[in-house]
Amino acid sequence: MACLREIEASQGKGQIVSSETLAALAGVKPTQLRKDLAYFGEFGRRGLGYDASELAFEIKRILKIDRIVPMILIGMGSLGTAFARFIITRANLEKDYPFRIQAIFDKDPHKTGTEFMGVRIYHIDDLKHMIQTLNPIIAVVAVPSQVSEPIIAFLCDHEVKAILNFAAPPTKIKPTKTIIHNVDLGAELEFLSYYT
Amino acid sequence: MACLREIEASQGKGQIVSSETLAALAGVKPTQLRKDLAYFGEFGRRGLGYDASELAFEIKRILKIDRIVPMILIGMGSLGTAFARFIITRANLEKDYPFRIQAIFDKDPHKTGTEFMGVRIYHIDDLKHMIQTLNPIIAVVAVPSQVSEPIIAFLCDHEVKAILNFAAPPTKIKPTKTIIHNVDLGAELEFLSYYT
DNA sequence: TAGATTGTTAATCGATTAACAATC
DNA sequence: TAGATTGTTAATCGATTAACAATC
């Protein structure tokens, strides 16, 4: 599936767009775009094209961002702060932005009990009894790699659907029900260096 | 090319390893690993395997991380700070870590003139006359998206080989000589949401 | 009806894997 | 020589693209 996100933002209400136009915007071939969409259903009308707002809605539904996605953030170091700022700013700016940070967890007593841009910061120990109530779909792990593995294991045990992990990939656990997406800043640099 | 980085860390001096062992470590098929390596040259010995330290050296050479890679960081908000901490910590810990932040640039007069973990923070206006001297291979852009495009354009004009861009992808410029690698935290979340 | 554009089948391309000759 | 393991050629698989019938 080639990048469909670009499409969403690109047209107003009631507008009809062709796969040709959309493909140009997304930087892919029209035929690829049509094939990708057809995989999920028939969203277009032959001879006409796609209804832009209808298509945007369908794409949101496919990506499961047609609803509020409750999240928790664990670790409020510089990376956690950067991530929280990014998400909360966007949620404040964009109507219907789906991702919401419900609670932040950290170990530092200088941070716990305070708020960051309107989101409460709890002690990491409170996660144990709060996770049931919060019931987050996604958890973001931005703690040091040395302490990340037990936290990730705990999250997997408690039915979190997906983890965005900025720490080192866990070595011991191989969860079946939880998807872990590892983001490795160091690897991004090595990747770039190769193409230098 | 499947992930070769794992291999590097995995063996001591003088050790011989087979593609079977390495593939298991990297989580790929042995035949895939051999094919990838063969693309760059003949590094193994038939009937024996690969010399681990020799292979590690060759991989570093291929990735161009067998030398110091000078970098600059532009933008010292929470994301810039997170990135700087990540790189500098690693450079302090790991012998031969190739990436070095030579200078940081920001607009905030409270930050300019100070140091972060031993790296000087300059005003963004100083970039103009300093870039020639610094001559960085890689530039990391961690400024707000609204102000990123002219900065990226400037970096491309001044022979920076690669840009790691945390801001929005540039729309106007299509550099030919500079590689831009865009990292989109929002897209990572949408990606995860889909697999929920 | 003629023109346009989708959804889908067929053809092409590239990447992964299997098989094996080379060789330690 | 027999066993092991690479580098490479051939076969397989999947993904991309082209072609076209369906239909607005």
Side-chain angles (χ1 to χ4, degrees), chain A residues 73 75-89 92 101-106 110-122, chain B residues 78-79:
Chain A
L73 168 61
M76 201 50 181
S78 43
L79 190 54
T81 306
F83 188 82
R85 172 166 291 135
F86 178 85
I87 297 298
I88 299 167
T89 304
N92 290 340
I101 303 178
Q102 296 186 291
I104 299 170
F105 296 89
D106 199 286
H110 289 99
K111 290 169 187 163
T112 59
T114 67
E115 280 190 359
F116 180 81
M117 294 178 81
V119 179
R120 191 87 190 207
I121 305 176
Y122 299 91
Chain B
S78 44
L79 190 53

Side-chain angles (χ1 to χ4, degrees), chain B residues 117-185:
Chain B
M117 295 177 80
V119 180
R120 190 88 190 205
I121 305 176
Y122 299 90
H123 194 275
I124 183 77
D125 294 341
D126 292 334
L127 181 60
K128 205 164 226 168
H129 69 263
M130 286 181 71
I131 195 153
Q132 303 277 12
T133 325
L134 291 168
N135 199 29
I137 304 282
I138 297 176
V140 180
V141 174
V143 300
S145 293
Q146 303 96 287
V147 298
S148 62
E149 186 121 11
I151 292 170
I152 293 171
F154 177 84
L155 293 167
C156 294
D157 282 350
H158 286 77
E159 309 277 290
V160 172
K161 294 275 190 302
I163 296 172
L164 183 60
N165 181 31
F166 289 100
T171 50
K172 289 162 203 159
I173 39 175
K174 282 271 163 283
T176 46
K177 292 165 86 180
T178 304
I179 309 126
I180 301 181
H181 182 56
N182 299 296
V183 177
D184 183 343
L185 294 180

Side-chain angles (χ1 to χ4, degrees), chain A residues 2-74:
Chain A
C3 39
L4 296 172
R5 269 146 240 124
E6 281 86 350
I7 296 159
E8 204 184 293
S10 68
Q11 290 286 332
K13 284 256 168 196
Q15 291 280 19
I16 299 288
V17 280
S18 68
S19 60
E20 183 110 27
T21 312
L22 289 173
L25 283 164
V28 297
K29 292 252 171 15
T31 172
Q32 166 124 261
L33 189 132
R34 291 208 300 277
K35 179 137 246 197
D36 286 352
L37 289 175
Y39 174 77
F40 295 105
E42 295 197 12
F43 304 136
R45 283 186 227 166
R46 298 181 187 214
L48 286 171
Y50 300 90
D51 179 290
S53 66
E54 189 190 314
L55 185 60
F57 176 81
E58 292 293 347
I59 291 170
K60 282 180 194 156
R61 190 181 52 75
I62 292 162
L63 293 173
K64 301 205 190 76
I65 52 171
D66 58 339
R67 66 205 81 166
I68 297 294
V69 180
M71 298 171 36
I72 58 172
L73 168 61
I74 299 154

Side-chain angles (χ1 to χ4, degrees), chain B residues 78-99:
Chain B
S78 44
L79 190 53
T81 306
F83 188 82
R85 172 166 291 135
F86 178 86
I87 297 298
I88 299 167
T89 304
R90 231 166 126 169
N92 290 341
L93 252 53
E94 283 174 44
K95 185 169 110 51
D96 298 332
Y97 189 71
F99 301 103

